[in-house]
Amino acid sequence: MIENNLANREAELAHNIAQVRAHIAEAAERAGRSPHEITLVAVSKTKPLELVEAAYRLGITDFGENRVQEALQKIAAFHPQGIRWHMIGHVQSNKATKVAPAFDWVQSVDSLHVAQALDRYAAQRETRLPVLLEVNIAGEESKEGTTPAQLPALVRQMLTLSHLEVQGLMTVAPQVENPEEVRWVFRALRLLREQLHNELPGLAMPHLSMGMTDDYQIAIEEGATIVRVGRAIFGERERVVK
Ligand SMILES: *Cc1c(COP(=O)(O)O)cnc(C)c1O
């Protein structure tokens, strides 16, 4: 029975992944973009490792986690060739020593202090860690992220950290009834990147990580290159995790 259960869950997972990929392709087409420009990060927080392994067998290569402790266990247990683990939750600088060596990407850098700590531990391992800067576009008190006003100075300072690769920007939109209500947030992140490109010519920053289960299609229409999708792939979470 247990095996049968796992088979059912894998079939459901396969269905969910196919559906999300189809929606990504449709949204990309509406925006005149190629779906190949968009990386799907499957957010596996709170979900067991066997679902991560099943998703990997179904072609998912990028996984997102937001709790360091939970993630470290999964990463230690499962790191096949080609997989990328993304840190998408708040990083405290005292956790940087664990985060920098374990994760392949850190999407949630929002202060120079954290950036310097990650840079230091990446330097010890003689690697360059790809990072995104998290921006709190809507100014919600409950959200992490730097303010749009502080962003240019933070980017400038981060360019001096030689073991971090600033790959772009990330944001988490407010929860709303109708995802159209947060289109402006995604557009604002894209415009912020354009502003940075104008102020710092030569800066690459190719990535915009924006869009989750409820709003990733809108985010893609507004230029997302990375979407972070949890529930639409793995189902509802039992625990509420910020
Ligand atoms: C949980 C989480 C997601 C995924 O949310 P879903 O609504 O399950 O798709 C994406 N990004 C961040 C930062 C998260 O914490």
Side-chain angles (χ1 to χ4, degrees):
M1 277 321 267
I2 286 171
E3 272 169 36
N4 191 16
N5 234 329
L6 187 59
N8 283 343
R9 284 171 91 185
E10 288 219 29
E12 200 180 320
L13 194 61
H15 170 83
N16 290 351
I17 290 170
Q19 196 159 52
V20 170
R21 290 222 185 271
H23 287 154
I24 288 173
E26 286 163 19
E29 191 173 341
R30 281 196 297 278
R33 305 178 57 203
S34 162
H36 303 295
E37 294 169 20
I38 297 150
T39 299
L40 172 59
V41 173
V43 177
S44 51
K45 62 190 184 191
T46 81
K47 299 295 180 181
L49 189 65
E50 65 190 31
L51 282 185
V52 171
E53 291 169 341
Y56 179 79
R57 286 196 292 276
L58 291 164
I60 298 282
T61 52
D62 292 80
F63 293 90
E65 290 280 334
N66 71 337
R67 297 268 167 112
V68 175
Q69 223 40 53
E70 176 184 344
L72 291 179
Q73 288 178 10
K74 289 179 180 168
I75 296 169
F78 192 62
H79 209 287
Q81 193 73 32
I83 201 174
R84 283 182 299 244
W85 286 97
H86 298 248
M87 176 57 176
I88 61 172
H90 186 58
V91 182
Q92 290 164 310
S93 48
N94 64 356
K95 295 269 173 66
T97 167
K98 290 181 172 162
V99 168
F103 284 90
D104 302 288
W105 277 62
V106 179
Q107 296 205 6
S108 41
V109 174
D110 66 355
S111 73
L112 185 62
H113 195 54
V114 166
Q116 284 168 332
L118 291 171
D119 182 66
R120 200 155 51 236
Y121 295 110
Q124 285 177 4
R125 302 188 69 233
E126 297 178 13
T127 55
R128 292 192 83 201
L129 181 65
V131 299
L132 302 177
L133 295 180
E134 181 171 0
V135 189
N136 185 354
I137 295 284
E140 290 178 288
E141 295 254 341
S142 60
K143 290 248 158 70
E144 312 294 343
T146 183
T147 66
Q150 288 167 333
L151 183 65
L154 181 57
V155 172
R156 274 201 183 83
Q157 288 166 317
M158 285 190 54
L159 293 178
T160 66
L161 303 175
S162 55
H163 292 88
L164 299 187
E165 235 166 55
V166 183
Q167 288 278 351
L169 305 177
M170 180 270 222
T171 197
V172 180
Q175 280 192 334
V176 289
E177 285 279 303
N178 176 353
E180 281 293 343
E181 291 171 43
V182 289
R183 183 183 288 277
W184 73 272
V185 170
F186 302 137
R187 189 169 294 168
L189 195 73
R190 170 162 51 82
L191 293 175
L192 262 181
R193 183 180 57 171
E194 276 174 29
Q195 184 195 327
L196 286 170
H197 278 158
N198 291 336
E199 287 179 20
L200 299 164
L203 183 70
M205 296 231 304
H207 288 291
L208 292 175
S209 174
M210 53 191 196
M212 310 177 16
T213 289
D214 292 328
D215 52 26
Y216 67 92
Q217 296 166 71
I218 306 265
I220 289 169
E221 289 173 17
E222 293 299 332
T225 64
I226 299 172
V227 292
R228 310 175 308 268
V229 179
R231 289 168 300 135
I233 291 175
F234 294 113
E236 293 297 322
R237 287 179 290 274
E238 282 164 26
R239 294 192 268 129
V240 177
V241 182
K242 211 179 81 171

